[in-house]
Amino acid sequence: MTQTSQRPLRVLAAMSGGVDSAVAAARAAEAGHDVTGVHLALSANPQSFRTGARGCCTIEDSRDARRAADVIGIPFYVWDLAERFREDVVEDFVAEYEAGRTPNPCLRCNEKIKFAALLDKALALGFDAVCTGHYATVVLGDDDGGRELHRASDMAKDQSYVLGVLDERQLAHAMFPLGDTLTTKDEIRAEAERRGLAVAKKPDSHDICFIADGDTQGFLADRLGGKAEGDILDESGTKLGTHEGAFGFTIGQRKGLRIGHPAADGKPRYVLDISPVDNTVTVGPVEALDVTALTAIRPRWCGTPPSGPGTYTAQLRAHGGETEVTAELTDGTLHVSFSEPVRGVAPGQAVVLYDGTRVVGSATIATTVRRETAAAG
């Protein structure tokens, strides 16, 4: 396995206004590439200032990105992709919750915006690659010379999970300058400071970028509110309480159930199932969350699709650990079985398969099989 060629390229650096993307752009320029910075305006009505460390894509972020580009000494532009972002990411996010699923908007943004809309426009303008501040690596495979996506050198900062939607063509035009260096975030900030980048001490953004105040339930209520009140049931179908919208719950949720009385065994209850069809939420003991297998749809492969059953490790959340699985693609559906039961698995999430550090691909979870109930999720 070898690193990708470092011949000078025309590079479009996506600059969010944060420290990671600024240092990535600076490193790309320092490596001798012809770099142009671009900030993506993803909100039709950006706020002037961030809310603490939440959100991004504000006017302030655009200005921070421009100042960083000036210090690096590269051209800088702002591209308006707000309408595309609204359609492909925000509306998809709301629709998934309305359907009782739990989406990951960061994966959708990488797939539809940064490495589809942005990359397509970049290639049309004659750029060779898009550079971002993600912590992951792209390498040349030993066998066929194709591009492979691998975990970052520092597992603590690895972001390959949210890049598992990239196909081989997109990887051929992707550049992640931060992924192959064993540096802490403090060292990245120190590097930014040495380079004279004012974003060196800027706090990282958290949560979902288009929900600046972090109130996901409030955001969804504004768009899906007015639904009929629904029931909260136990596994036997007994009514325990009511809710104001099934969209306000996620699989595995423990807090905020407002059931009003404890379970017979005195143990906490967790959300086991969300049914938008009859507007019910089912709760039960934590053991009932154990998942032994799942099916996933809309697979995306970071290279040649696997053939036949295989043994991999899987990651189910952006900051989750790995678990051993066997997986097989059959008629476009990925069937995954876990060596040990896992919890917190919800339809709508992504399952990303790994072969060692290499990202094999990802797919969207459609159904789950529970250890005891063996019922679809």
Side-chain angles (χ1 to χ4, degrees):
M1 191 187 333
T2 59
Q3 294 292 330
T4 52
S5 170
Q6 289 301 303
R7 68 177 178 82
L9 304 172
R10 285 196 69 204
V11 175
L12 187 67
M15 303 181 70
S16 66
V19 64
D20 290 331
S21 60
V23 171
R27 288 186 177 184
E30 190 173 65
H33 299 300
D34 179 8
V35 180
T36 296
V38 62
H39 178 79
L40 303 183
L42 301 180
S43 173
N45 298 292
Q47 299 178 24
S48 295
F49 298 99
R50 298 158 66 92
T51 304
R54 299 183 184 276
C56 67
C57 313
T58 64
I59 294 173
E60 181 189 357
D61 290 310
S62 175
R63 291 170 180 165
D64 287 343
R66 182 180 296 279
R67 283 190 288 265
D70 289 343
V71 170
I72 298 168
I74 59 176
F76 178 83
Y77 300 92
V78 175
W79 286 359
D80 184 357
L81 293 179
E83 184 62 22
R84 181 74 180 266
F85 183 78
R86 181 185 63 79
E87 293 176 356
D88 290 344
V89 179
V90 180
E91 290 184 358
D92 174 81
F93 177 83
V94 174
E96 286 292 283
Y97 266 101
E98 187 174 26
R101 296 185 287 267
T102 305
N104 187 314
C106 293
L107 275 86
R108 193 67 63 238
C109 182
N110 285 330
E111 176 187 356
K112 299 290 188 178
I113 305 299
K114 293 176 182 174
F115 292 96
L118 176 63
L119 178 58
D120 289 346
K121 188 172 182 178
L123 295 177
L125 292 172
F127 288 94
D128 299 304
V130 166
C131 162
T132 73
H134 287 100
Y135 289 87
T137 56
V138 177
V139 302
L140 292 175
D142 288 333
D143 296 335
D144 57 7
R147 265 67 174 181
E148 296 178 355
L149 177 65
H150 284 251
R151 290 193 182 277
S153 298
D154 184 357
M155 277 291 293
K157 298 198 298 293
D158 175 64
Q159 293 177 303
S160 60
Y161 174 84
V162 295
L163 297 169
V165 290
L166 305 186
D167 60 28
E168 190 172 17
R169 181 191 76 89
Q170 293 168 326
L171 289 174
H173 300 285
M175 180 181 291
F176 307 119
L178 305 187
D180 59 357
T181 54
L182 283 168
T183 52
T184 66
K185 189 57 177 277
D186 286 343
E187 289 171 324
I188 291 292
R189 292 189 182 282
E191 178 179 340
E193 194 160 13
R194 288 196 303 271
R195 293 180 181 276
L197 300 171
V199 293
K201 297 181 180 180
K202 185 175 181 178
D204 292 334
S205 60
H206 297 291
D207 301 315
I208 300 168
C209 72
F210 52 85
I211 305 178
D213 61 3
D215 183 8
T216 301
Q217 190 165 346
F219 176 87
L220 292 168
D222 286 344
R223 289 152 180 80
L224 299 175
K227 302 289 184 181
E229 186 179 81
D231 294 336
I232 299 177
L233 311 174
D234 65 14
E235 291 178 283
S236 68
T238 301
K239 180 177 176 179
L240 303 177
T242 60
H243 63 76
E244 297 173 355
F247 59 82
F249 298 85
T250 56
I251 301 295
Q253 178 179 334
R254 173 185 173 183
K255 297 181 179 180
L257 301 184
R258 295 181 296 177
I259 295 173
H261 53 87
D265 58 9
K267 294 181 179 180
R269 282 171 290 201
Y270 298 77
V271 174
L272 305 179
D273 186 58
I274 302 164
S275 177
V277 175
D278 55 11
N279 199 26
T280 60
V281 174
T282 301
V283 300
V286 67
E287 295 80 9
L289 287 171
D290 286 348
V291 169
T292 59
L294 61 81
T295 64
I297 57 176
R298 298 194 297 275
R300 301 269 300 180
W301 304 110
C302 302
T304 304
S307 59
T311 301
Y312 309 93
T313 57
Q315 187 170 330
L316 300 163
R317 288 177 294 279
H319 303 292
E322 292 180 277
T323 183
E324 292 186 359
V325 300
T326 57
E328 183 174 12
L329 184 68
T330 305
D331 297 328
T333 297
L334 186 67
H335 298 267
V336 178
S337 297
F338 298 97
S339 59
E340 297 289 340
V342 296
R343 292 176 181 170
V345 184
Q349 292 176 330
V351 53
V352 178
L353 300 181
Y354 292 83
D355 180 8
T357 62
R358 180 176 68 88
V359 182
V360 177
S362 71
T364 302
I365 298 171
T367 63
T368 61
V369 176
R370 301 245 170 87
R371 178 168 56 179
E372 295 182 6
T373 63

